[in-house]
Amino acid sequence: DAGITQSPRHKVTETGTPVTLRCHQTENHRYMYWYRQDPGHGLRLIHYSYGVKDTDKGEVSDGYSVSRSKTEDFLLTLESATSSQTSVYFCAISRGQGGTDTQYFGPGTRLTVL
Amino acid sequence: QQQVKQSPQSLIVQKGGIPIINCAYENTAFDYFPWYQQFPGKGPALLIAIRPDVSEKKEGRFTISFNKSAKQFSLHIMDSQPGDSATYFCAATSGGYQKVTFGTGTKLQVIP
């Protein structure tokens, strides 16, 4: 998985609780991304980062926030988890070398919100 | 808003068959079209990619066909094997733009 780890790998939580997912890379890639994967929707971008402390929203950012204080770590926080946020979350990284850049994905975190 | 439409949603073929997965796009600014392969419990991984100035690209048993005028592209898997059973995503990006737009995925099952 291209030097990308995600933690936790599985989590069950209750509605209304905050949840933080962590992505850690050892590749020193500039760009990091958070996606969610749901049946019938494919992969949808939540937030991405183009450098330390530089982040931007994706297409499904409502209810999520991110932070990147170090090149290697990108955190995704669900401020108050809802059942609609039950999903598999993937972190990805890329070098940031233009439109042909390959994205490398982590192993995913399966989140269940009861 | 789904900018890359992918079909079929699922596909079952016999070993040796040639599954075909189709994708269509609207945004003419897209200029790079990767395909990702995902096995159960794993993250997606780049399989093959094409630029729109090329009509076909082959890598091993995997071929992308690209029709720029129709804004359509497809993945063909020659001599498919049970090990090809996975979910396949088409995707599109625009030059210098780091965000990738994914299709909804096709779950392929190759039966022996």
Side-chain angles (χ1 to χ4, degrees):
Chain A
D1 291 317
I4 308 169
T5 56
Q6 292 185 231
S7 59
R9 293 293 313 280
H10 302 270
K11 185 170 182 66
V12 180
T13 190
E14 294 189 347
T15 298
T17 59
V19 176
T20 296
L21 308 183
R22 180 180 183 240
C23 177
H24 178 79
Q25 61 148 327
T26 58
E27 306 296 322
N28 200 36
H29 282 8
R30 179 183 174 196
Y31 279 75
M32 299 185 76
Y33 310 80
W34 277 107
Y35 291 90
R36 60 177 291 174
Q37 183 174 16
D38 305 287
H41 292 279
L43 291 151
R44 292 181 291 174
L45 183 66
I46 304 171
H47 282 280
Y48 69 103
S49 169
Y50 47 96
V52 174
K53 293 187 167 55
D54 293 322
T55 65
D56 203 352
K57 295 179 179 180
E59 64 179 296
V60 290
S61 59
D62 288 348
Y64 302 95
S65 62
V66 290
S67 66
R68 190 171 179 196
S69 58
K70 297 186 289 185
T71 299
E72 57 267 35
D73 290 326
F74 193 32
L75 303 180
L76 176 71
T77 296
L78 288 64
E79 293 135 12
S80 176
T82 68
S83 58
S84 64
Q85 293 176 312
T86 292
S87 186
V88 181
Y89 291 85
F90 286 99
C91 173
I93 63 174
S94 69
R95 289 185 179 87
Q97 294 178 332
T100 61
D101 209 15
T102 298
Q103 291 198 1
Y104 300 93
F105 286 81
T109 294
R110 183 173 294 277
L111 176 67
T112 302
V113 183
L114 302 176
Chain B
Q1 181 183 2
Q2 186 61 47
Q3 295 190 55
V4 179
K5 295 184 178 180
Q6 183 172 348
S7 64
Q9 189 172 9
S10 63
L11 191 53
I12 301 174
V13 299
Q14 293 222 315
K15 177 182 173 181
I18 305 175
I20 301 172
I21 303 169
N22 299 299
C23 289
Y25 64 98
E26 292 294 328
N27 186 351
T28 55
F30 288 144
D31 61 2
Y32 185 63
F33 300 88
W35 285 85
Y36 284 79
Q37 179 188 54
Q38 183 182 29
F39 293 106
K42 302 290 187 182
L46 180 67
L47 179 65
I48 185 174
I50 195 169
R51 285 190 171 280
D53 53 350
V54 175
S55 61
E56 184 177 277
K57 183 174 182 180
K58 291 183 181 181
E59 286 188 6
R61 296 182 293 106
F62 299 90
T63 299
I64 302 176
S65 298
F66 194 90
N67 185 330
K68 187 175 181 178
S69 61
K71 292 186 286 186
Q72 295 175 346
F73 56 111
S74 60
L75 177 70
H76 298 62
I77 305 176
M78 310 303 288
D79 187 27
S80 59
Q81 301 296 313
D84 296 329
S85 297
T87 298
Y88 292 83
F89 293 94
C90 61
T93 69
S94 56
Y97 191 55
Q98 297 301 325
K99 287 195 262 186
V100 179
T101 300
F102 286 89
T104 51
T106 297
K107 186 173 182 180
L108 171 66
Q109 184 180 358
V110 181
I111 54 178

